[in-house]
Amino acid sequence: MNPRRKQRLLVVSLVGALVMGAVGLMLFALTDSIDLFYTPTQIVDGREGVKPQVGQRLRIGGMVVPGSVNRDSESLAVSFDLVDTGPAITVRYQGILPDLFREGQGIVATGTLLAGNVIEAHEVLAKHDEEYMPPELAEQMKGIKHVKPANNGG
Amino acid sequence: MWKWLHPYAKPERAYQLCNTLLPWFALPAVVCLVVGTIWGLAYAPQDYQQGDSFRIIYIHVPSAMLSMSTYVAMAIAALVGMVWQWRTAYMAMIAMAPVGAVMTFIALLTGAAWGKPMWGAWWVWDARLTSELILLFLYFGVIALYTAFEDKQQAGKAAGVMALVGVVNIPIIHYSVEWWNTLHQGSTITKFDKPSIATEMLWPLLLNIFGFALFIALVTTMRLKNEIIRREMHRPWVQMLVKQKETNDAV
């Protein structure tokens, strides 16, 4: 490589490295705002020492605790518990749940934090994992019985 | 080591190379896309959780992956143009930009169509979705900068800087699902572990990824040919080419 090209390459890589560094630091500083949701543990114990306040609007993401789903027989109201690795948070919601909502499923809910670790949600989204497999295999590996989605006209 | 590449910096040689490569991209692209898509949409088994809805993966994942790869390729072209001062490199860069933008758009669109039935939302401002949207804007930026200049040599330089700076977004898109809490799930195949997808679902996906890549290569080569001709319009070799074509058509 002749010296002029070498110099240009050096300048370009230097500028590139600087931009990378700047963006990296920025994203690191913004981690809290970029995270889509709080985990239940973060709501109870706080994230980086900051606990969400009662009345704060937030998103929570966690697994639905099996056996914790309570549906009201008169209305669309439903309540369930979410956990990650620590304590559970109760979510109350009124509306239609996504198709993928089931016990053990990852859920992201948007709502207001009430006293006593309860969240009044106005939106519930289902989070699915990155595993794809046919129903027979899932039954073998995980013991999950496939529930066919209701798209067969019935 | 790379000396053999230098002749291709000449637009004429680059044009000939494009002509040689075109058929090698065209046929395999069509075969891969047709086989992969039909296999994926009609014959691959249903997913245990998502049923038939998961099949949009066969469009969504290839377009999303290749929107990123195309960007990297575009940035490499910009780098070559900047350091070695090849005009053809800038032409290749601008040939790729709209193709990549369309891939990004397809990824966002199919992602939204997949998100609605599965997650329950068309759009969520999580890190993965937002960074992919920024990628679309980066493509728009490169195209807009290039078209804003009358002098195309100047335009290539300006758009090249934009393309190079935007590379920083690529690792952010890829690792967004690991670095932050997102609604989007983690990587299925682009990781060091075994892919977390059953083999009979994986094969059509790989075929389609390959087909999308070839298709992008095909469209890029065609656009590059046009770009070379447009920029070299007044050169003798292009006028020779035109004359040759005219005599061929007359016969």
Side-chain angles (χ1 to χ4, degrees), chain B residues 46-202:
Chain B
Q46 282 194 345
D47 179 57
Y48 75 110
Q49 270 199 322
Q50 305 185 32
D52 280 327
S53 309
F54 103 100
R55 290 180 201 281
I56 204 162
I57 199 176
Y58 294 113
I59 309 294
H60 178 72
V61 168
S63 57
M65 269 173 72
L66 288 158
S67 69
M68 290 156 71
S69 322
T70 309
Y71 196 91
V72 174
M74 191 175 86
I76 291 174
L79 182 74
V80 170
M82 217 164 279
V83 175
W84 281 268
Q85 311 246 302
W86 287 10
R87 289 187 312 135
T88 34
Y90 288 132
M91 295 182 201
M93 174 192 82
I94 204 58
M96 277 183 258
V99 190
V102 168
M103 285 298 139
T104 316
F105 186 72
I106 294 175
L108 290 169
L109 202 72
T110 51
W114 196 0
K116 186 60 188 171
M118 286 305 130
W119 299 341
W122 297 101
W123 185 266
V124 177
W125 291 101
D126 85 344
R128 172 56 75 81
L129 277 63
T130 311
S131 52
E132 182 76 8
L133 184 68
I134 292 174
L135 183 71
L136 182 67
F137 293 155
L138 280 171
Y139 275 121
F140 285 167
V142 170
I143 299 168
L145 255 181
Y146 190 82
T147 40
F149 284 83
E150 201 63 52
D151 172 12
K152 287 306 170 200
Q153 192 58 25
Q154 215 53 39
K157 270 184 203 157
V161 171
M162 171 107 200
L164 273 179
V165 170
V167 170
V168 78
N169 192 31
I170 299 296
I172 295 176
I173 298 177
H174 184 79
Y175 290 107
S176 56
V177 288
E178 288 171 32
W179 290 344
W180 299 291
N181 288 334
T182 54
L183 184 61
H184 196 286
Q185 69 282 6
S187 304
T188 299
I189 46 178
T190 48
K191 55 182 183 186
F192 291 114
D193 265 340
K194 201 170 150 293
S196 15
I197 178 168
T199 326
E200 61 263 52
M201 296 165 154
L202 179 63

